[in-house]
Amino acid sequence: MKRFYGVDFEKQREAVLNCEKARFIADGIIKKADEALKKIYPAFKMSEFMLYFETGNRSIFEKNYFERRNDCSYISIAYWLTGDEKYYKPLIDLIFMICDEFTW
């Protein structure tokens, strides 16, 4: 998909990769994506979700919840920037894992 709503994504990708400041940020995102590829995401526990209702503490559940979404962002951006197929299946799996959560 080269154009979507008038945006030339190939041109945008090249602009990011050719800009020194943006490239620095892109390299950091790619590094985080590579780290995310090594992770095994545990299933959410209903008991952790219920802690908020019982104690008001949502930090335990939110940590894993947001980690998945952040990693999904890193992997999707790294895939767009590099076109490297190593990101494709993990990205699909992570999106499906998020969609399969009992709450989101």
Side-chain angles (χ1 to χ4, degrees):
M1 167 187 343
K2 186 172 180 172
R3 289 187 160 286
F4 190 70
Y5 289 110
V7 176
D8 186 336
F9 286 102
E10 292 297 318
K11 185 176 179 181
Q12 294 297 320
R13 182 175 62 80
E14 290 302 318
V16 169
L17 295 176
N18 291 325
C19 174
E20 186 177 329
K21 289 180 183 179
R23 182 63 202 212
F24 176 77
I25 294 169
D27 288 343
I29 291 171
I30 292 168
K31 182 180 176 186
K32 288 184 179 193
D34 289 338
E35 292 169 5
L37 294 180
K38 299 173 189 172
K39 292 181 183 178
I40 297 174
Y41 299 93
F44 283 133
K45 296 179 182 175
M46 181 56 85
S47 58
E48 292 173 352
F49 178 71
M50 292 172 48
L51 276 176
Y52 172 69
F53 300 104
E54 296 167 358
T55 67
N57 180 351
R58 62 173 62 186
S59 62
I60 294 171
F61 182 78
E62 279 186 343
K63 178 185 177 291
N64 293 328
Y65 179 90
F66 288 118
E67 179 181 12
R68 287 183 186 187
R69 281 142 182 84
N70 289 337
D71 289 347
C72 188
S73 296
Y74 297 139
I75 294 170
S76 63
I77 294 169
Y79 183 50
W80 173 67
L81 286 170
T82 66
D84 192 333
E85 289 294 317
K86 74 179 181 180
Y87 298 113
Y88 181 71
K89 286 185 180 180
L91 177 59
I92 298 299
D93 290 341
L94 193 50
I95 291 170
F96 183 80
M97 188 182 302
I98 290 170
C99 289
D100 199 38
E101 292 171 1
F102 56 86
T103 180
W104 47 271

